[in-house]
Amino acid sequence: MKRSSGVVFAISAAILALSFALPAEGAGFTTCPVRFATGLPCFSCGITRSIVHISNGSFDRAWHFHPFGFVAYAFLIAGAAVPLFKHASGLLDRRPVKIVAWILIAAFGVH
């Protein structure tokens, strides 16, 4: 597994693992710098809780917090699976891995 694939896998797998461990009702504080500074939610506020609720099987609550959480969750699964398949088969191009990595950075880099 190349270094970039390993990084994408590690980040995706860590976020997915944390989503099972984090409390669904929230930690009691905000991690969003925009909300912390202004008191107003940013465009991605609620995605973390949405992902946590998806991991816990509460799909209606996940949709309530942020509908994009389902898309982000799919990218996390892809980010964990694509490098494994690439390593196992050697058939995949590096481009999909880079696309997933940039999407993850864009989606979770703020929080």
Side-chain angles (χ1 to χ4, degrees), residues 5-21:
S5 297
V7 170
V8 171
F9 171 77
I11 291 171
S12 299
I15 292 171
L16 284 171
L18 281 173
S19 72
F20 286 95

Side-chain angles (χ1 to χ4, degrees), residues 39-77:
L40 301 171
C42 72
F43 70 92
S44 65
C45 278
I47 289 180
T48 303
R49 281 195 187 178
S50 179
I51 289 171
V52 169
H53 280 289
I54 292 168
S55 292
N56 291 317
S58 302
F59 303 117
D60 57 334
R61 298 284 297 157
W63 185 266
H64 168 75
F65 280 107
H66 205 297
F68 188 72
F70 290 94
V71 176
Y73 203 84
F75 278 112
L76 288 171
I77 291 172

Side-chain angles (χ1 to χ4, degrees), residues 75-89:
F75 278 112
L76 288 171
I77 291 172
V82 167
L84 292 177
F85 286 125
K86 180 181 177 187
H87 179 70
S89 68

